Amino acid sequence: MESDIILRVNGREWPLRVDTRTTLLDALRERLGVTSPKKGCDHGQCGACTVLLDGRRINGCLVLAVACDGSEVVTAEGLGTDGELHPVQQAFVDHDGFQCGYCTPGQVCSAVGMLEEVAAGWPSAAGRPVADTPVLDDAEIRERMSGNLCRCGAYANIVTAVRAAKEVSR
Amino acid sequence: MSARMFGAPVQRTEDERLLTGRGAYLDDLGADAYAAVFVRSPHAHARVRDVDVTDALDVDGLIAVYTHEDLTGPMAEPLPLLLPHPCIVDGRTPHALAAGYVHHVGAPVAMVVARDRYLAEDAAERIAVDYEVLAPVVGIEAAVAAEHVVHAGMSDNVAAHLVQEVGDARAAIAAAPHRLELDLDIERSACTPMEGRGVYARWDEAGGSLRLYSSTQTASGVRAAVAAKLGLDVGRVEVVVPDVGGGFGVKIMHPWPEEVMVPWAARRLGHGVKWTEDRREHFIAAAHERGQRHTVRAGFDDEGRLLGLDVEILHDNGAYLPYGVIVPIVTSTQLLGPYKPGAYRVEFRSLYTTTVIVTPYRGAGRPQGVFAMERTMDAIADRLGRDRAEVREVNLIRPDEMPYDQGLLFQDGRPLVYDSGDYPRTLRMVKELIGWEGFAAERERARAEGRRIGIGLACYVEGTGPGPYEGGHVQVGTDGRVRVATGLTSQGQGHHTILAQIVADELGVAMSDVEVTTGDTRRMPYSVGTFASRGAVMSGSAVALAARKVREKALRVAADALEADPGDLEIAGGRVHVRGVPGAGMDLGTVAVLSNPLRYAFDEASRAATQFARPADHAAPPVPEGDAPGLEGTDFHSPLRSTFANGAHAVVVETDPETAEITILRYCVVHDCGRLVNPLIVEGQIHGGVAQGVAGALYERMAYDADGQLLNASFMDFLVPYASEIPPIRIAHLETPSPLNPLGVKGAGEAGVIPGAAVIASAIEDAEGFPVRSMPISPSDLFGLRRRFAAGEIPPLRRAERARGRRANETGEPDV
């Protein structure tokens, strides 16, 4: 079964006819040539395909494209503006937050979405009472970034980069 | 004079591209290629009676289905035995597609090519394979027992067997004042890079040539292997390695069955074909490592000095032995670490099992060897009632004993001679960094609060940068930009950055004017590959040597044009000029123009190089004898033997008295990889290695059932750590230069992972008061050990008993 949908990806509108079984990840990569979201597991376990869907971070492999009709999708390609890196991307450069770069587009999208969640007062499982205003210390960053695997093990610097990005966005 | 780049924490040149999604990994290429899918064995051991493809042929969009029957010539033969070491008793390798038998779950049986991946998967599901299931051989015990054999025609499962001995270790142990024996066990793990394997091939019918893209750690190896399989001259095969999403060892194995099938099909079909491995395939059909059992016998004196060490190793090499024999060879030799036992005997048996192959994973056999040696050091200390660091200290090779010959042959077939290093200082530094001296009091305070904490220590030596060689090509363009190529490949190590740093210094140009290409046989056909922490040592040295040639030529050509003596010239900021007279000079781009005598002028710049531009010496040819046109140079680094990096890790852990949860409180690393090209990159490599070391110690294992099914073949069940599991890491560097290469560098890529299991086991047993002899250790493993300890099945550490005695004396409570 096929459906006609419209995806808005990094500010550009794409009318698409998709098999309803197509994931958002496959639609982005194979239909639109937007290849920054990576397929690390295709099962929602690695986070390499993390993109922002209407501002929220999601695993592209766990969402069907047909369910994103009319939605705004932002990937690592679309984070920066006017040739400038997004502050989170800049922080990853400044603090050597990655090595092979395969998980990185997902990490930066995840970090951008995560900082929004913190700003909106969302709780985490890092152990604080839910009612507390989130304080983004390293334990919180580690917990909140714990949907994105990095096999190069750049976590020490990812945590530093996210902390730095938070400082900039303050 | 421009600032020196070597040694500076320069930000990586790769970064911006990868961050903004402009990286091009294997699966980002070949959008118009056909997709390949492999039908894989669901059985660990079986005879393939029949492959029925009839139903698949109805799938719309199917292009082709291939089985072993379709293969002829070299393609029908087994894949190569890559490392034909003399210790191999019976070296079996797989076929590209199963030839009658399958020997592990995941072995490729048929290949399906279709218009896209979805259709290929649909067709693959319709292929019916009739198997006669045979007895599986899973685990070292079953392999040794050899009740069943993996390979027909063999009487047991021994793939390779090697004894190396220095002195008479058994006699030394028998005569020693003290003796002990340990049984040690390390389970399997795997590299699991975020990007799995992948191959994309295009056949050019007109040129009769193949372009192959592979997510590999060796472009030149894949090129030679594929050319041999396809019966092509290597000159007709180009291998280009795109961005690679991590390797950690698994991608040095080549050629994979898929790596020869994809180009074979592309040639046959006259169309691009691509295969991208999925995650489950990576778990069951790529490669694992680590699984070993050791029996250690040690004889030592009252100070804990090792007089004799006798180690027997059983190594699970999986179903075939194309590459994996190197792992127990590395274990056997690197087990010695920074120590000098009086006599040493090591014997290994490498065993076939009906599980996926074992090939090097970052550390490549060293973590197991270090585990054995460091467990032994801790056991000796405990036996003698001595401090664990002190026992290590008395066994260390001293700096004035360098170079130190261990008397064995290393993995490169050359003598195991340590080139340099200051092991006592390394140990002192890590003790300071972690707070070794004050820890007993810290442990007692924690105990008084009902908390269990423990400290651990582990040292290692890592042979890095083995040969045979690596090459560098450096070319200055007429635009003044410097293009550098080396053959080995990059998987996130920052090679492009460090090679640019090195060349920028050698040539006196800005780093931003240096472009580096790796892993492209069109640019540098002679190469070996990226493994054994050899990138900086081998390619770093090679590009430095090549750049020196270019520098020498640039000075010569410029001297001629400037009518100066080459000795009076220097290069800085991309300009050659008379020393002390920056105005009297020319850009390197102009030197490049002049270095290539031209008949024709194409633009203003090239006009200067034509035969009419300036008076010529009619007694000499335009290109001097022994010279070549162009401002470029190629050179190779081929070292005498490996260079040996070293380090020590220390960790403090806390174990929960109720849940047995294990938490790392502090993790410290002292690391000596010779001169640091870029501390930022070295620290990143250490962070990554430590993350994998912690993972291997606490989280990761391959859970095979008795039938050879891998029960945890996903990231849901195989626990690669997230940010939430990896502790902050404190690092201190030592820089003992290597005398074996022009830069004085040693490799850094694998170091972080090597002592992981050893150091964490050391700390857990310190916290718990009983020995830890197998890794990894999960909370439930620790809980099980506690129960066995409580039941008297595991003896306490002597030092724990002594501490308990002291506490009892102080408080007047009875010792229990």
Side-chain angles (χ1 to χ4, degrees), chain B residues 262-280:
Chain B
V262 166
W264 176 84
R267 181 186 188 185
R268 195 174 162 114
L269 297 169
H271 194 282
V273 177
K274 181 169 81 171
W275 169 71
T276 310
E277 183 176 59
D278 70 29
R279 186 50 56 187
R280 179 173 163 76

Side-chain angles (χ1 to χ4, degrees), chain A residues 26 29 38 45 142 155, chain B residues 25 28 118 700 721-722 726:
Chain A
D26 282 356
R29 289 185 56 82
K38 300 299 182 199
Q45 296 157 358
R142 286 172 194 278
Y155 295 126
Chain B
Y25 301 83
D28 303 338
Y118 304 95
E700 297 172 358
Y722 291 96
I726 298 305

Side-chain angles (χ1 to χ4, degrees), chain B residues 125-193:
Chain B
E125 270 187 11
R126 292 175 170 219
I127 292 173
V129 185
D130 182 18
Y131 295 98
E132 177 191 344
V133 177
L134 304 172
V137 180
V138 181
I140 286 173
E141 223 162 281
V144 171
E147 195 181 320
H148 303 286
V149 294
V150 175
H151 292 289
M154 287 182 66
S155 59
D156 60 18
N157 293 307
V158 178
H161 176 223
L162 185 66
V163 179
Q164 292 208 69
E165 186 156 22
V166 186
D168 189 342
R170 287 176 172 173
I173 294 166
H178 308 279
R179 285 180 289 277
L180 58 76
E181 180 169 333
L182 304 177
D183 288 311
L184 303 168
D185 196 346
I186 288 208
E187 289 193 40
R188 272 190 178 207
S189 185
C191 302
T192 64

